[in-house]
Amino acid sequence: MKYQLNEYGFITNYLVSGRKETDFSSSAADKNQLACEKMMRSEAADHDPVMPAGPVVLGALSALGLPWEYEYTYGSWFVDRSSFYPLLTRVELHAATILNAREDMEAEVWLWSYAAVDLWVNGGFVGGIETPVYKPISRKIMKLPLKKGDNTIYIRLVNLGVRDTRTLFGIQIPGQEREMLSVMLPDAEKAALCSKAADWLSGIMIREKTMVFPAPAPEGSRLIYDARPVDFTEYRNRYTGITLRGETELALAPDKPYLKVVVTVSGQTLSRSFERQELLTIQKGETIDPEENKRRVFERIAGVKQIPRGDSESFSMYPILARFASGRVDPEDEREIYKSFDQIESRRDCSDFLTCAMVRFMKLYPMDEAMAARCKEVMINYRYWMDEAGSDGMCFWSENHSLMFFVSAYVAGDIYPEELFIRSGKTGREMKETARQRIRDWMVQTEREGFDEFHSGGYTPITFAAILNVVDFCDGELSALAWKAADRLLKDLAVQTFQGVSISPMGRVYREVLYPYTQDIQCLINLIDPEAPDQFSEWIIFLATSKYRLPEGLKEMMYSPASLVYEESNARICVEKQEDYMLTSVESPRRDGRVRKWKNISEQPDADTGSFSYVKSLNECFHGTTQFEPGVYGYQQHMWYAALDPAAVVFVNHPGGSCESCTTRPGYWFGNGIMPALKQVKEVLCAIYRIPETHPIPFTHVYWPSSRFSYEIIEDTWLAGSAGGGYVALWCSDPFTAYDDLMFHCEYRVKSRDAAYVCICGSRKDYGSLEEFLLACKERKPAYDREKGRLRAGNEEITYRKYENMTQYI
């Protein structure tokens, strides 16, 4: 059976073995954790010009000792087995495919990966990618010697698993040679059965409340619903399934938004996931009384046993704090506290989340002799900073992580002043003094410059929790500084709240950007206004035992119109918030002529690795810059939003991967592979996205959830929609192409590496109908001059200028 390259020349048909995962340890050490991880990546990678031995047969074991499988992920252009690793892990993957050439040729290929990759053609080594990187993705231009007929392509990938790790590669044939090539698979007969099942999965559609199959459901197929419970102890009942028996369509459950269809074929299971975004509705609390609501929120946290950390692990300290605060101690809490000690001791990534909760527990509640001894053993042996002895994969440098490490060191040092802390060689008193200076530095710089992870839907509550530990357990000066930082965080949040939901550009973002009312940050908004949409978050529990009190006037600020420009870190944020709509963005580049407020010192050899200036510098390198400039590689930054209500939101991004199932950062919907040029003036936003060929994704796309609009108008280069009392229109220099992936009727792709957009918001009060509003938008006559990189719309104009930022290469 022959397959075709996709429209961009990617091979998308492979047999794959792996990923194989083995524990990894290293003696590498550096005060700069990013430099240390770079060394460890090089250590983990090895290369061998001899191709791994053994037949490539479905179900048979490869040289890795793992079975060969048919690779299928809907919409993916890559072999992607990416995962998250809280502990250091060596990751290996093998893959094979066959290129059929009409004649002898030398074909240029682009090999894409973050890992180290070796590639063979017909058993002969032809090269690859030498060294793994964290970001951006590597592109190796290669020449493949192909003979007429079948050519076996064998790929070996090796990487270091440390936190979010991209175990993926792609092979693209960019030139005219693609017209002379087709793809085949080893073990062709069994692979064809898998391919048939994959085609059936790819043809599934959802029409309103019904799943429609392209042909009768094959034997071995099932529909599985995923409940995604908040409590990890309920994961054993997470999935419920229905066996399919030849159906061509199926009515879907009215209350289950997450589902997948699986097919078992040739000894393996293929699957495709779906999400019914229209079922993800806004949740409200049960009371509008602020004190009653606060008790409800704290009791809800106490009712959860364990907080999921991925699919196989959980953290328990935050629900335990909630139960102790309410006097509802559970008999299993003691066991979970000991489990938390073990997790801290392992120094897994995010173990500082546990130390931050543990020091609050240590300060507030007594322990028996055995527990106190175990606690002391763990806490004095923990690694509280990257300049202390040890090698692990903990993230020290983000805004929230850094403060959690600092305050945990401060409190632990205060509790054990005379003890020697093993990894630092300092006494507790010395640990406390070092941490004190670092906390003060953090607070002073944040108060002066703003938050780097500003308005982050996921991380703001974590940062808030760490600040509360400083408020409650540090000395008077630090406590006062932390109180001011908490006030600033909440006041900034109030400015960016629209109809009770955080609508904001963000320094760090995840996929919840699609549903802003589901972001963890809503737990803060709901405490300010119990009538606002509610969201579970364990991080808010520190408030139950804190002396901190929310500042006055936040609710009024949330619901007041705003038309302003302000600064957070190096970003300049534009806000146009009216009763019926909100448009908000970051300037890219800044229009005030100021490049940045603080300098990156990570490459300075004499830099103080414990200073917050250094922490901010590493965070900029790793999690993305707040110096927004067109052409710069992006990461987790969300750059703009248009909202008519909490669910009817619109934005454009340049995705980091080709499909919803990709696990990269930036993701498919969150962050940007390449940053655009952006300019917002009041209710009008102009944007230019230019994607270089050094990035594998050649399109941008629009989040446009049709079900959230009461009425919409769709044209080649215009989208317009209404919801509540507001209107939004989006113009593009290139046609919109509807596309369905995990969700249906939510996405339009623009298949151009050079595209311009204009987004305009308006109110029903000013325009009688959506048609009238759209006509007014068209009268601005948006036009894009590609040669000059200039976009005009009415009186607004923006010209694209490409920037480079070397901090984004790791």
Side-chain angles (χ1 to χ4, degrees):
M1 183 174 180
K2 289 188 177 182
Y3 311 90
Q4 300 304 311
L5 304 173
N6 80 356
E7 63 179 306
Y8 299 106
F10 278 88
I11 301 172
T12 58
N13 302 91
Y14 296 91
L15 298 190
V16 176
S17 179
R19 44 184 201 248
K20 180 181 180 181
E21 301 169 339
T22 53
D23 293 341
F24 180 83
S25 61
S26 170
S27 59
D30 198 289
K31 291 183 178 180
N32 180 327
Q33 180 74 10
L34 295 184
C36 183
E37 291 180 5
K38 183 177 181 180
M39 289 187 281
M40 291 192 290
R41 283 191 182 93
S42 295
E43 288 180 12
D46 64 353
H47 298 273
D48 188 341
V50 179
M51 191 177 88
V56 181
V57 176
L58 277 170
L61 299 183
S62 72
L64 293 176
L66 297 172
W68 286 100
E69 298 177 324
Y70 179 86
E71 177 69 7
Y72 171 72
T73 302
Y74 179 81
S76 181
W77 307 349
F78 304 87
V79 171
D80 187 352
R81 300 286 177 95
S82 302
S83 190
F84 189 92
Y85 297 94
L87 298 171
L88 297 177
T89 306
R90 189 170 187 266
V91 186
E92 299 173 85
L93 178 83
H94 291 187
T97 190
I98 296 170
L99 276 178
N100 180 273
R102 294 182 194 172
E103 59 186 46
D104 292 347
M105 67 171 66
E106 189 176 65
E108 179 179 307
V109 304
W110 294 354
L111 174 63
W112 302 92
S113 187
Y114 295 91
V117 182
D118 295 327
L119 193 147
W120 292 263
V121 177
N122 298 323
F125 181 69
V126 294
I129 295 172
E130 182 70 21
T131 306
V133 297
Y134 182 73
K135 66 172 186 175
I137 194 168
S138 299
R139 179 185 66 155
K140 180 67 176 290
I141 301 176
M142 307 172 66
K143 297 287 187 178
L144 298 191
L146 303 177
K147 65 182 182 181
K148 182 178 180 180
D150 293 347
N151 299 266
T152 298
I153 313 297
Y154 197 103
I155 302 98
R156 174 178 179 262
L157 178 152
V158 184
N159 205 359
L160 174 68
V162 51
R163 298 181 305 281
D164 57 302
T165 302
R166 289 73 153 215
T167 304
L168 64 81
F169 74 88
I171 297 176
Q172 182 181 15
I173 300 169
Q176 294 302 313
E177 301 100 323
R178 74 174 73 170
E179 306 300 330
M180 304 290 289
L181 297 171
S182 56
V183 181
M184 300 175 68
L185 287 175
D187 198 6
E189 188 173 336
K190 284 199 291 184
L193 296 176
C194 293
S195 176
K196 182 179 178 181
D199 289 344
W200 180 80
L201 287 169
S202 295
I204 296 173
M205 298 180 66
I206 294 179
R207 293 176 181 161
E208 296 183 348
K209 303 173 183 179
T210 302
M211 178 169 280
V212 180
F213 304 117
E219 184 178 349
S221 58
R222 301 187 77 217
L223 173 68
I224 299 174
Y225 291 107
D226 183 356
R228 295 194 184 181
V230 172
D231 194 329
F232 184 73
T233 62
E234 298 174 6
Y235 267 38
R236 57 183 173 270
N237 300 316
R238 177 177 177 178
Y239 299 106
T240 55
I242 300 171
T243 299
L244 301 176
R245 305 182 186 280
E247 293 91 341
T248 56
E249 61 180 49
L250 184 71
L252 295 173
D255 58 346
K256 293 181 170 60
Y258 307 111
L259 59 152
K260 63 181 176 180
V261 178
V262 301
V263 181
T264 300
V265 58
S266 296
Q268 73 173 94
T269 299
L270 308 182
S271 70
R272 181 182 171 193
S273 296
F274 302 87
E275 181 173 285
R276 297 181 65 194
Q277 56 87 29
E278 72 277 8
L279 298 184
L280 295 169
T281 55
I282 293 171
Q283 303 299 311
K284 294 290 188 78
E286 301 162 358
T287 176
I288 62 172
D289 179 81
E291 290 305 314
E292 287 183 13
N293 186 57
K294 190 183 297 185
R295 284 193 294 273
R296 176 191 66 84
V297 168
F298 297 156
E299 288 173 3
R300 180 173 59 181
I301 300 170
V304 172
K305 297 289 187 182
Q306 300 171 29
I307 304 296
R309 296 289 301 174
D311 291 335
S312 59
E313 294 186 317
S314 64
F315 284 174
S316 303
M317 282 308 302
Y318 290 83
I320 287 172
L321 284 170
R323 287 191 286 277
F324 271 72
S326 63
R328 296 170 51 190
V329 180
D330 189 280
E332 296 182 0
D333 285 345
E334 181 175 347
R335 183 191 65 191
E336 290 300 311
I337 292 170
Y338 276 97
K339 184 186 81 173
S340 300
F341 288 144
D342 294 342
Q343 291 172 322
I344 293 170
E345 190 173 56
S346 73
R347 303 205 308 276
R348 68 205 318 105
D349 183 51
C350 295
S351 57
D352 54 304
F353 290 176
L354 293 172
T355 65
C356 202
M358 189 63 73
V359 295
R360 178 165 284 267
F361 187 87
M362 292 159 64
K363 278 288 191 178
L364 297 178
Y365 306 110
M367 299 183 184
D368 64 29
E369 185 176 348
M371 183 180 289
R374 176 60 175 151
C375 181
K376 179 179 176 180
E377 175 188 35
V378 169
M379 298 303 283
I380 67 173
N381 192 47
Y382 190 62
R383 187 174 181 228
Y384 289 93
W385 200 242
M386 53 191 164
D387 56 6
E388 298 180 3
S391 194
D392 48 59
M394 294 191 294
C395 175
F396 292 92
W397 50 84
S398 78
E399 196 166 63
N400 63 85
H401 281 299
S402 60
L403 185 56
M404 286 198 162
F405 277 108
F406 295 162
V407 72
S408 296
Y410 181 103
V411 177
D414 185 53
I415 293 173
Y416 309 116
E418 305 303 327
E419 297 294 335
L420 186 70
F421 280 65
I422 308 303
R423 301 197 173 274
S424 67
K426 296 178 179 179
T427 65
R429 186 170 287 105
E430 292 169 328
M431 289 286 290
K432 177 181 174 181
E433 186 54 37
T434 299
R436 184 192 190 283
Q437 182 57 46
R438 291 173 176 176
I439 293 169
R440 187 180 188 281
D441 198 11
W442 194 103
M443 295 297 166
V444 169
Q445 289 195 45
T446 299
E447 173 65 22
R448 182 177 68 238
E449 297 164 358
F451 292 91
D452 291 332
E453 297 173 353
F454 57 86
H455 309 315
S456 173
Y459 288 109
T460 295
I462 303 175
T463 301
F464 184 71
I467 291 172
L468 292 186
N469 265 7
V470 181
V471 168
D472 294 325
F473 305 128
C474 292
D475 62 50
E477 182 193 15
L478 294 184
S479 179
L481 288 171
W483 198 298
K484 289 173 64 178
D487 283 355
R488 171 168 183 160
L489 181 150
L490 294 176
K491 289 175 181 176
D492 290 348
L493 171 59
V495 169
Q496 292 289 163
T497 298
F498 172 66
Q499 296 184 8
V501 169
S502 177
I503 300 293
S504 177
M506 293 175 245
R508 286 186 71 189
V509 67
Y510 288 99
R511 190 179 177 275
E512 289 78 13
V513 70
L514 298 172
Y515 314 114
Y517 50 89
T518 69
Q519 298 181 113
D520 280 4
I521 202 170
Q522 281 300 126
C523 71
L524 293 170
I525 294 174
N526 177 259
L527 282 181
I528 297 168
D529 175 17
E531 296 184 78
D534 184 27
Q535 176 63 23
F536 174 86
S537 175
E538 71 273 20
W539 298 103
I540 205 69
I541 195 55
F542 282 19
L543 262 182
T545 50
S546 178
K547 64 184 179 184
Y548 177 76
R549 296 295 176 265
L550 275 59
E552 298 292 329
L554 291 176
K555 184 174 178 179
E556 292 75 11
M557 195 180 301
M558 289 195 308
Y559 292 99
S560 297
S563 183
L564 71 153
V565 178
Y566 68 98
E567 295 181 344
E568 286 284 358
S569 190
N570 289 314
R572 206 159 176 262
I573 300 173
C574 305
V575 177
E576 186 67 21
K577 179 170 65 170
Q578 301 300 328
E579 181 183 0
D580 296 324
Y581 67 84
M582 182 170 181
L583 183 66
T584 181
S585 64
V586 289
E587 293 182 346
S588 176
R590 291 176 63 131
R591 294 169 56 205
D592 62 356
R594 189 174 181 181
V595 177
R596 58 188 299 148
K597 295 166 69 175
W598 56 269
K599 293 183 180 180
N600 191 300
I601 63 171
S602 60
E603 296 300 318
Q604 294 182 8
D606 59 345
D608 177 3
T609 59
S611 70
F612 189 48
S613 296
Y614 193 78
V615 173
K616 286 162 69 75
S617 297
L618 291 191
N619 193 39
E620 176 174 44
C621 295
F622 194 83
H623 287 125
T625 181
T626 57
Q627 183 181 348
F628 293 87
E629 294 169 324
V632 170
Y633 279 99
Y635 192 69
Q636 287 184 276
Q637 307 95 331
H638 183 59
M639 303 193 72
W640 69 271
Y641 252 139
L644 304 184
D645 64 33
V649 297
V650 173
F651 63 86
V652 174
N653 78 310
H654 173 233
S658 66
C659 65
E660 276 267 37
S661 299
C662 74
T663 56
T664 57
R665 302 183 191 179
Y668 190 69
W669 283 118
F670 64 89
N672 284 270
I674 302 294
M675 289 184 183
L678 287 181
K679 176 186 176 183
Q680 179 184 342
V681 178
K682 298 290 187 179
E683 76 281 7
V684 179
L685 180 138
C686 298
I688 301 173
Y689 293 78
R690 282 190 162 180
I691 315 305
E693 67 175 25
T694 52
H695 196 287
I697 308 302
F699 64 85
T700 51
H701 63 165
V702 184
Y703 179 60
W704 186 271
S706 288
S707 68
R708 309 295 192 174
F709 297 109
S710 57
Y711 180 49
E712 61 182 359
I713 300 171
I714 309 299
E715 299 179 0
D716 266 359
T717 59
W718 283 97
L719 305 174
S722 63
Y727 298 133
V728 62
L730 185 69
W731 171 89
C732 186
S733 56
D734 295 81
F736 294 109
T737 302
Y739 188 82
D740 296 322
D741 192 324
L742 189 71
M743 306 175 296
F744 282 71
H745 313 301
C746 290
E747 176 180 1
Y748 289 91
R749 286 185 174 183
V750 174
K751 299 180 180 182
S752 171
R753 286 189 179 270
D754 187 1
Y757 293 86
V758 177
C759 183
I760 307 169
C761 292
S763 173
R764 193 186 303 271
K765 299 186 189 76
D766 302 315
Y767 303 92
S769 66
L770 182 61
E771 286 83 358
E772 183 181 340
F773 169 71
L774 179 57
L775 181 61
C777 293
K778 289 180 176 180
E779 288 174 354
R780 294 177 182 266
K781 295 182 170 50
Y784 181 45
D785 184 332
R786 280 191 172 84
E787 185 176 344
K788 296 180 179 178
R790 181 182 298 153
L791 170 63
R792 287 177 174 164
N795 296 324
E796 306 309 329
E797 179 180 308
I798 184 172
T799 300
Y800 190 96
R801 174 190 167 198
K802 186 181 186 303
Y803 289 74
E804 183 67 272
N805 187 332
M806 296 309 296
T807 69
Q808 300 307 291
Y809 291 77
I810 300 184

